């Protein structure tokens, strides 16, 4: 078992509706040591990939993305979320259904922060149905930039996101992949990688 799987088993709390809370090291309080290890492991897995920008989505992706940006020494951009559709003249905009909040969000990035020359590594805390990642991919493509890969801390393998992205040909790396999660027993089984 790797460091993240061990940490999830120790501190993760399974909520009803297939939601895993890891508030004490990523989603509320941030454990810098774990974030550093997540970022280093993602950089190692994408070692053969050229990256000049990290893109994530607010809020919980920002910690991992910042640490990764530090390791690559490249800028980190976080897409913002909002429910109202403002003018799209100055921003790239897409939409993502939020698995945790059960609502549709507009996701946007101001145009100056993504350039056609950018080689973008997309990063997030969780990959579930792939809605957030697909919105970020859409935004990168609107900018004429290139998606070099998608790196997440936790992939919920029972949900369809990882399958969709890999079938679309994207290089996806997940440090922990949950195969099964049981609310009553508070048990988690990880996919061996
Ligand atoms: P997706 O867009 O892939 O369906 O879901 C990923 C997004 O929803 C992530 O940005 C993450 O913040 C949130 N998310 C999805 N599932 C979980 C979960 O089980 N726990 C937490 N904490 N966030 C989740």
């Amino acid at each position: 078992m790797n460091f993240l799987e061990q940490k999830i088993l120790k501190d993760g709390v399974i909520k009803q509706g297939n939601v895993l809370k890891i508030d004490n090291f990523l989603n509320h309080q941030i454990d810098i040591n774990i974030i550093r290890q997540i970022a280093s492991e993602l950089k190692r897995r994408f070692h053969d990939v050229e990256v000049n920008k990290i893109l994530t989505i607010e809020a919980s992706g920002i910690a991992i993305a910042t640490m990764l940006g530090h390791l690559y020494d490249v800028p980190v951009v976080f897409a913002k979320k909002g429910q109202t559709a403002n003018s799209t003249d100055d921003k790239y905009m897409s939409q993502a259904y939020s698995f945790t909040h059960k609502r549709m969000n507009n996701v946007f990035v101001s145009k100056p922060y993504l350039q056609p020359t950018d080689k973008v590594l997309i990063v997030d805390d969780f990959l579930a149905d792939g809605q957030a990642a697909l919105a970020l991919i859409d935004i990168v493509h609107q900018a004429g930039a290139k998606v070099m890969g998608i790196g997440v801390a936790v992939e919920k393998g029972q949900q369809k996101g990882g399958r969709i992205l890999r079938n679309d040909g994207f290089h996806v790396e997940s440090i922990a992949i949950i195969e099964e999660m049981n609310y009553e027993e508070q048990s988690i089984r990880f996919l061996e990688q």
Side-chain angles (χ1 to χ4, degrees), residues 32 46-47 57-58 61 65 95 99 101 121 159 171:
I32 294 298
F46 287 106
H47 70 276
I57 183 164
E58 64 179 3
Q95 289 200 311
F99 179 78
H101 297 109
L121 184 57
Q159 290 182 246
H171 178 181

Side-chain angles (χ1 to χ4, degrees), residues 50-66:
E50 197 189 333
V51 172
N52 75 341
K53 198 160 278 181
I54 309 287
L55 177 65
T56 188
I57 183 164
E58 64 179 3
S60 293
I62 296 175
I64 300 171
T66 303

Side-chain angles (χ1 to χ4, degrees), residues 11-171:
D11 292 338
V13 178
I14 302 164
K15 298 283 177 187
Q16 258 170 328
N18 200 32
V19 171
L20 173 66
K21 296 208 83 174
I22 47 175
D23 281 6
N24 82 329
F25 66 95
L26 212 166
N27 293 135
H28 197 0
Q29 172 172 257
I30 291 168
D31 182 326
I32 294 298
N33 193 37
I34 291 287
I35 302 301
R36 194 184 289 124
Q37 288 182 72
I38 290 170
S40 301
E41 177 61 14
L42 287 176
K43 184 151 189 275
R44 190 186 67 78
R45 294 195 190 190
F46 287 106
H47 70 276
D48 54 349
V49 173
E50 197 189 333
V51 172
N52 75 341
K53 198 160 278 181
I54 309 287
L55 177 65
T56 188
I57 183 164
E58 64 179 3
S60 293
I62 296 175
I64 300 171
T66 303
M67 193 66 84
L68 202 51
H70 168 66
L71 295 181
Y72 276 103
D73 197 16
V74 299
V76 175
V77 177
F78 60 93
K80 299 193 177 196
K81 290 179 200 162
Q83 279 187 280
T84 52
N86 293 322
S87 152
T88 56
D89 289 354
D90 56 348
K91 36 180 116 62
Y92 301 113
M93 173 107 70
S94 193
Q95 289 200 311
Y97 182 77
S98 166
F99 179 78
T100 39
H101 297 109
K102 310 286 177 226
R103 64 167 187 235
M104 192 60 98
N105 280 318
N106 287 313
V107 177
F108 56 90
V109 172
S110 289
K111 287 187 175 172
Y113 304 130
L114 280 175
Q115 298 297 319
T117 48
D118 281 337
K119 296 183 164 66
V120 181
L121 184 57
I122 291 174
V123 173
D124 207 356
D125 58 343
F126 277 86
L127 171 60
D129 285 333
Q131 287 276 307
L134 288 166
L136 295 177
I137 290 167
D138 180 23
I139 283 173
V140 172
H141 288 165
Q142 285 178 42
K146 204 160 174 216
V147 176
M148 305 308 288
I150 298 142
V152 299
V154 188
E155 175 177 340
K156 295 194 294 178
Q158 335 88 298
Q159 290 182 246
K160 60 180 186 289
R163 198 172 54 247
I164 291 172
L165 296 172
R166 291 183 182 98
N167 283 347
D168 283 351
F170 292 104
H171 178 181

